[in-house]
Structures are given as C-alpha cells and as structure tokens.
C-alpha cells in the first residue's frame, strides 16, 4: 500500500511540474516582456502588397495595420525595436515619449531569439525638454 501511495504522489508531482512548465512555455513572451519608457525614435507603417488586404469572407487582414517601432530607453540609452499590429501606433509621432511593453521571441526560435515581435503602447506623452 505504501508503494501505491508513493507512485500516486510521484505521478501527481510530475503532472503539476508538467502543467507549470506548459504555462511558462505557452506564455513565455508575456512573462519575460520588457517595459520600455523613452523617446520614440521612429514609427513607420509597414506597407504590404494589396493582395494581403482582404482574407476570405471579405474580412480585413490585421497585417494591414503593421508598424515598425523604435524607442530609446531614457535610463540606458538603448534603442529597442519591434513590429506591432496594434492600431494605436498610427497616432504616435517621432519625438514623443512613450511607455511600451515589448514581447520577446522565445529562445527556441533560434533565428529570432533576442528580438521583439510585439510592442504594446501603454502610455504616450510629450517629452519634457
């Protein structure tokens, strides 16, 4: 009987560890996101071929609203760049100050590791001169 109890505890432990590992891997980009506060160096709309505009069913493809963003961190002077399909970036202009959350590619995407695929605009303001 003690052996069965030990096996059940071991299986339960492995299921819990597996579940936690799955949660971390599935949400890697959110868990390891980077908040950047600084001056917007550049924000550009990424122009796509017209063929990508409409999907089947006449829906508008989200890729139409792609932006390339770079922000210079005020504390480290490091420039962070990312792409985003967040429509809020359409109003952002070079020289404004912004707080953005950058989502990194996971390390198992070897060609893209260390770079960011998403930038979520949190706050926008005029820079203090």
């Amino acid at each position: 009987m003690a052996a069965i109890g030990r096996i059940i505890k071991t299986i339960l432990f492995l299921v819990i560890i597996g579940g936690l590992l799955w949660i971390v891997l599935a949400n890697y980009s959110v868990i390891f996101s980077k908040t950047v506060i600084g001056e917007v160096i550049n924000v550009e709309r990424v122009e796509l071929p017209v063929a990508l505009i409409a999907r089947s069913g006449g829906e508008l493809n989200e890729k139409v609203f792609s932006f390339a963003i770079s922000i210079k961190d005020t504390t480290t002077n490091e420039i962070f760049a990312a792409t985003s399909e967040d429509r809020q970036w359409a109003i952002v202009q070079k020289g404004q100050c912004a707080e953005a959350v950058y989502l990194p590619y996971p390390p198992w995407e070897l060609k893209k590791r260390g770079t960011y695929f998403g930038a979520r605009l949190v706050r926008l303001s005029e820079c203090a001169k």
Side-chain angles (χ1 to χ4, degrees):
M1 284 299 220
I4 293 175
R6 198 174 296 144
I7 291 172
I8 291 174
K9 286 181 182 179
T10 303
I11 290 172
L12 184 61
F13 176 76
L14 291 175
V15 167
I16 290 171
I17 294 298
L20 290 174
L21 183 62
W22 178 78
I23 289 170
V24 169
L25 293 178
N27 297 296
Y28 177 88
S29 294
V30 175
I31 293 170
F32 296 102
S33 64
K34 170 120 178 105
T35 300
V36 178
I37 301 172
E39 182 182 348
V40 176
I41 301 299
N42 209 349
V43 60
E44 294 282 333
R45 174 176 247 143
V46 178
E47 299 295 332
L48 297 172
V50 177
L52 291 178
I53 291 178
R55 286 191 257 168
S56 60
E59 297 175 13
L60 199 57
N61 191 334
E62 288 295 319
K63 300 277 186 205
V64 171
F65 304 104
S66 290
F67 295 91
I69 301 108
S70 60
I71 297 177
K72 183 177 183 180
D73 191 325
T74 54
T75 56
T76 64
N77 286 333
E78 185 177 359
I79 297 174
F80 291 88
T83 57
S84 179
E85 293 172 7
D86 185 353
R87 295 178 187 188
Q88 293 184 77
W89 289 107
I91 63 163
V92 177
Q93 296 182 11
K94 183 178 175 180
Q96 291 179 317
C97 284
E99 177 182 346
V101 175
Y102 279 66
L103 303 173
Y105 280 104
W108 53 88
E109 290 193 34
L110 297 176
K111 290 183 179 180
K112 297 178 181 180
R113 73 179 166 80
T115 62
Y116 300 94
F117 70 87
R120 177 79 174 124
L121 182 61
V122 176
R123 187 174 46 206
L124 182 65
S125 63
E126 291 297 324
C127 292
K129 300 281 179 174

